[in-house]
Amino acid sequence: VPVDYRIEKLHGDFVFTEGPVWVTGDGPYLLFSDVPGNAIYKWSPNGELSDYMNPVFDGEKEGKGSVGSNGLTIDSEGRLVICEHGNRRISRIENDGTQTVLVDNYQGSRFNSPNDVAFKSDGWLYFTDPPYGLAELEEDPERDLDFNGIFRLSPTGEIELLNGEQTRPNGIAFSPDEQTLYVANSDDEEKVWMAYDVKEDGTITNGRVFFDVTSESAEGLPD
């Protein structure tokens, strides 16, 4: 962080913002989610704000909780990949503007609410699936899975569970050399960032606490 850094407010009046991603292909511009606001917005360097996708979820919203998108990322071909809470899936916006569902279940059970996502250089998509998009979280009657997982999706559509033991996996990112996968745990009882070794086959092992803020009394959780 530069010593002469400056915090600048670009816009406001959102509900709960998430998943910022900078787009350079046909940009530059910034995309970000408003999860309860059920929209993806586009902010241009000239200060203009516009709808990119609004609504994200167009089904029945009553009693559904935060139904919009969360994590966003760009794939190697410049296409937007979206973690969708309400639709409980990960989708992609194609170059012609159509939307493709990449994955929406694990072994026939719907995901909780895919939250955040990171690409590995080999094309595999790693993502977290906590319950934050479900109105009653783990107790929600529409919940199918009995765990909150860390998954990965192959370029050909194969889904694999990497870890089902983190209580509230959330933010996810690789180290620059891709030897370590970091996953935030957004749990009031266990506010930690976890680190996992990435094996040659892309699976993860040796989970350990990277940083622990459980004792912190300030508001907020790791992400």
Side-chain angles (χ1 to χ4, degrees):
V1 178
V3 293
D4 59 346
Y5 75 90
R6 180 168 59 100
I7 299 295
E8 181 180 359
K9 182 179 178 180
L10 302 179
H11 219 280
D13 301 322
F14 304 107
V15 186
F16 191 101
T17 52
E18 266 281 10
V21 64
W22 193 250
V23 179
T24 56
D26 61 344
Y29 53 85
L30 183 77
L31 296 177
F32 61 95
S33 301
D34 187 339
V35 192
N38 194 23
I40 298 174
Y41 292 107
K42 174 182 176 180
W43 180 88
S44 299
N46 63 7
E48 180 183 353
L49 183 79
S50 58
D51 287 348
Y52 179 85
M53 182 183 294
N54 190 357
V56 175
F57 176 75
D58 60 4
E60 174 57 47
K61 302 177 187 64
E62 188 68 29
K64 295 288 187 180
S66 295
V67 296
S69 62
N70 197 310
L72 308 174
T73 195
I74 303 296
D75 73 5
S76 61
E77 297 184 31
R79 298 170 297 187
L80 180 67
V81 175
I82 307 171
C83 292
E84 299 186 51
H85 274 191
N87 289 316
R88 300 166 72 171
R89 68 188 188 187
I90 295 178
S91 63
R92 181 179 65 212
I93 304 300
E94 307 297 347
N95 293 326
D96 63 2
T98 59
Q99 189 171 10
T100 299
V101 176
L102 299 182
V103 65
D104 59 8
N105 74 90
Y106 174 67
Q107 296 182 346
S109 295
R110 293 175 301 171
F111 292 118
N112 299 312
S113 48
N115 183 284
D116 204 4
V117 63
F119 273 108
K120 195 168 179 288
S121 59
D122 60 6
W124 282 76
L125 188 68
Y126 289 63
F127 66 95
T128 55
D129 184 44
Y132 295 119
L134 300 173
E136 298 179 40
L137 304 176
E138 282 88 354
E139 304 306 316
D140 198 282
E142 293 193 9
R143 190 181 191 224
D144 289 353
L145 297 172
D146 61 359
F147 61 90
N148 300 321
I150 303 169
F151 295 89
R152 68 172 184 157
L153 180 70
S154 78
T156 57
E158 174 191 355
I159 184 69
E160 182 175 354
L161 173 66
L162 297 174
N163 181 284
E165 298 179 359
Q166 250 191 253
T167 55
R168 294 284 178 84
N170 197 331
I172 186 170
F174 284 99
S175 61
D177 62 7
E178 297 187 331
Q179 297 298 301
T180 307
L181 181 70
Y182 299 101
V183 183
N185 200 59
S186 300
D187 187 337
D188 284 306
E189 304 300 319
E190 192 177 5
K191 296 185 283 190
V192 300
W193 284 265
M194 296 293 292
Y196 298 90
D197 292 335
V198 181
K199 299 164 67 175
E200 287 190 11
D201 65 0
T203 58
I204 58 176
T205 188
N206 189 30
R208 70 266 184 200
V209 174
F210 174 73
F211 195 62
D212 189 338
V213 293
T214 306
S215 61
E216 294 289 338
S217 58
E219 291 184 12
L221 294 166
D223 192 355

